[in-house]
Amino acid sequence: QVQLVESGGGLVQAGGSLRLSCAASGRTFSSYVMGWFRQAPGKQREFVAAISWSGGYTDYAASVKGRFTISRDNAKNTVYLQMNAMKPEDTADYYCARDTISGRWYVSTEPSAYNYWGQGTQVTVSS
């Protein structure tokens, strides 16, 4: 059974930074694409960023590109989301997720490609 636990959320002023972490259980973390998604109140869950199993390839939503950075440490079974220059529209619950397929050669932006999800961490950006 895989467990994903997010941390690092909180309240930040516009222009500030936060770093989210997602710790994964299990011995096969390094074989899977990992993604970050977010869901604001009243809105659908949306893709934020994803990273390949090796860490060599990343993809970002247009709304966060240049401000957010996804990274991973396979030795620590952890994926990170560094969020800089934050905006009020970044306010949401943030979820990390693990890909359904081991060793996928591309990163997916679709929630349906991920079958393990964390419980979420709340991020609030004040104006």
Side-chain angles (χ1 to χ4, degrees):
Q1 186 71 10
V2 175
Q3 288 189 320
L4 303 175
V5 180
E6 301 99 335
S7 61
L11 174 65
V12 64
Q13 289 188 331
S17 298
L18 279 177
R19 188 195 196 200
L20 305 183
S21 299
C22 172
S25 65
R27 292 177 292 179
T28 59
F29 173 81
S30 61
S31 299
Y32 291 87
V33 168
M34 296 295 295
W36 285 98
F37 292 79
R38 67 186 180 185
Q39 188 167 17
K43 295 188 176 181
Q44 288 190 333
R45 189 167 297 189
E46 65 173 3
F47 170 76
V48 176
I51 187 166
S52 63
W53 53 268
S54 68
Y57 181 79
T58 57
D59 195 13
Y60 297 91
S63 59
V64 308
K65 192 171 293 185
R67 300 188 298 120
F68 291 10
T69 302
I70 188 172
S71 61
R72 66 190 298 160
D73 185 336
N74 286 340
K76 295 183 178 180
N77 279 17
T78 302
V79 60
Y80 305 96
L81 186 68
Q82 177 67 43
M83 304 185 291
N84 299 328
M86 297 187 72
K87 304 175 181 180
E89 51 263 44
D90 294 322
T91 296
D93 291 328
Y94 283 71
Y95 300 87
C96 69
R98 198 197 80 170
D99 197 344
T100 302
I101 298 175
S102 174
R104 194 191 296 266
W105 64 271
Y106 65 92
V107 301
S108 176
T109 63
E110 295 296 327
S112 60
Y114 299 82
N115 62 343
Y116 286 102
W117 295 81
Q119 83 288 350
T121 186
Q122 189 173 54
V123 171
T124 303
V125 185
S126 63
S127 58

